[in-house]
Amino acid sequence: MKKLFFITILFFASNSLYALELKGTFHQGNLILGKTEKKSKIFLDKKEVEVSDQGFFVFGLSKNRKNDVLIEVVKNNVKEKYIKKVYKKTYKIQKIDGLPRKQVTPPKEVYARIKNDNKLIGEARAVKSDLVFFKDEFALPLSNSIITGVYGSQRILNGIPKSPHYGLDFAAKEGTEIKAMLNGVATLSERDLYYTGGTIIFDHGHGVSTLYMHMKDIYIKKGQRVKQGEVIGTVGKTGRSTGAHLDIRLNWFDVKLDPASVLNLE
Ligand SMILES: [Zn+2]
């Protein structure tokens, strides 16, 4: 595994007043890390994004983003504009047949539960903290990583088109230790969510969060700080899962991103 997880694009036009450094490629679903001068303001598509004391900021490109990205750097009332083209990603089509009916369409009696689960997950992902862990390199959550499912796959279950799969799936035996990919603070820790089973969400600052699902054991409580590499629990098959595996998610607020884009797996 390469150590460097971002490819650096540095544009530093000769007539440019302020440096803007961007890491990450502008492909759909990617997380982009930026650095500007201290005390600069950054506007993304005309909306202000938080800039850390050191000048770090972050944003994500949605799965189907087509429009160019407009980045404006403002310092001392002087504005600089940058326009970045977004590159398309091709997504797989994943057909799974012969699933039990309740795995494809949940029974009515669990609708309220699903709604409540989604509320908890939504609230955890909406956390806007000034942590700056998002600027650090991510590490793989398992020592042995065999990928069995990728971001963006359109799933057709028993012939019914479902929402795309936004996670990255790793094959692993039940009970395998899961390690935190990045320093963070747990904003959700639940043992039994309907779809995702044992679930932990970590906040890494500025809207960047990671989620681990289908876990068997959970060692982290909500509000707890973790260090990268710390064991947070074990692989399971809890929730709606076809078997033991780890499914991880990456978000920038409610924008679902490709975890492979920060794990050097593309
Ligand atoms: Zn999955």
Side-chain angles (χ1 to χ4, degrees):
M1 189 57 56
K2 276 183 290 173
K3 266 274 169 207
L4 202 93
F5 94 88
F6 276 138
I7 297 157
T8 306
I9 306 165
L10 183 75
F11 31 96
F12 209 179
S14 54
N15 60 345
S16 181
L17 292 168
Y18 309 117
L20 174 69
E21 199 179 331
L22 296 167
K23 291 178 177 181
T25 60
F26 278 68
H27 281 93
Q28 292 173 334
N30 280 15
L31 183 84
I32 310 290
L33 174 63
K35 191 162 190 287
T36 185
E37 290 192 353
K38 292 174 189 178
K39 301 211 162 83
S40 292
K41 283 188 174 183
I42 295 287
F43 293 83
L44 179 82
D45 302 325
K46 301 276 181 192
K47 270 200 212 150
E48 189 169 0
V49 293
E50 196 186 346
V51 178
S52 80
D53 294 343
Q54 299 300 312
F56 288 103
F57 64 95
V58 69
F59 59 90
L61 306 173
S62 67
K63 177 180 165 278
N64 294 315
R65 166 106 195 194
K66 285 177 185 73
N67 300 336
D68 293 349
V69 179
L70 170 65
I71 303 167
E72 290 164 303
V73 187
V74 180
K75 196 180 180 184
N76 302 328
N77 295 317
V78 181
K79 191 194 281 181
E80 293 214 311
K81 277 189 186 187
Y82 300 87
I83 292 166
K84 296 291 291 175
K85 189 177 157 52
V86 176
Y87 297 95
K88 276 194 176 177
K89 236 180 220 175
T90 37
Y91 300 112
K92 287 183 181 167
I93 292 178
Q94 194 181 17
K95 282 185 187 168
I96 308 172
D97 291 316
L99 285 171
R101 226 186 75 146
K102 68 166 193 178
Q103 210 155 309
V104 180
T105 314
K108 277 213 171 65
E109 58 268 27
V110 297
Y111 284 9
R113 191 179 156 200
I114 291 169
K115 202 176 160 191
N116 189 57
D117 292 353
N118 289 341
K119 186 170 165 271
L120 291 175
I121 293 170
E123 283 168 359
R125 284 173 167 165
V127 168
K128 191 181 178 181
S129 77
D130 50 20
L131 299 173
V132 282
F133 297 132
F134 63 84
K135 70 170 181 56
D136 300 331
E137 261 177 55
F138 284 66
L140 287 162
L142 301 171
S143 336
N144 236 331
S145 300
I146 302 153
I147 289 157
T148 51
V150 296
Y151 172 91
S153 313
Q154 173 66 56
R155 293 190 302 175
I156 302 169
L157 308 181
N158 292 357
I160 304 167
K162 305 300 281 186
S163 53
H165 180 252
Y166 288 101
L168 188 63
D169 292 328
F170 295 93
K173 283 197 186 113
E174 193 167 16
T176 306
E177 288 185 338
I178 302 166
K179 292 170 282 184
M181 294 183 280
L182 200 64
N183 291 0
V185 175
T187 49
L188 178 145
S189 174
E190 292 284 334
R191 300 200 164 268
D192 190 25
L193 298 185
Y194 181 76
Y195 281 112
T196 59
T199 308
I200 307 182
I201 298 179
F202 291 108
D203 167 34
H204 307 291
H206 294 207
V208 176
S209 69
T210 51
L211 181 152
Y212 302 71
M213 65 173 80
H214 308 312
M215 294 173 74
K216 180 176 183 243
D217 304 296
I218 289 184
Y219 304 145
I220 305 297
K221 289 191 183 79
K222 186 179 170 180
Q224 200 174 327
R225 276 179 172 260
V226 292
K227 286 239 179 276
Q228 184 177 63
E230 193 177 329
V231 176
I232 58 168
T234 62
V235 172
K237 49 175 195 258
T238 55
R240 297 312 103 168
S241 172
T242 46
H245 75 287
L246 175 66
D247 183 338
I248 55 161
R249 306 289 165 109
L250 172 71
N251 269 63
W252 177 58
F253 296 109
D254 61 350
V255 183
K256 298 171 169 79
L257 304 175
D258 185 355
S261 74
V262 295
L263 286 169
N264 232 354
L265 293 170
E266 288 173 295

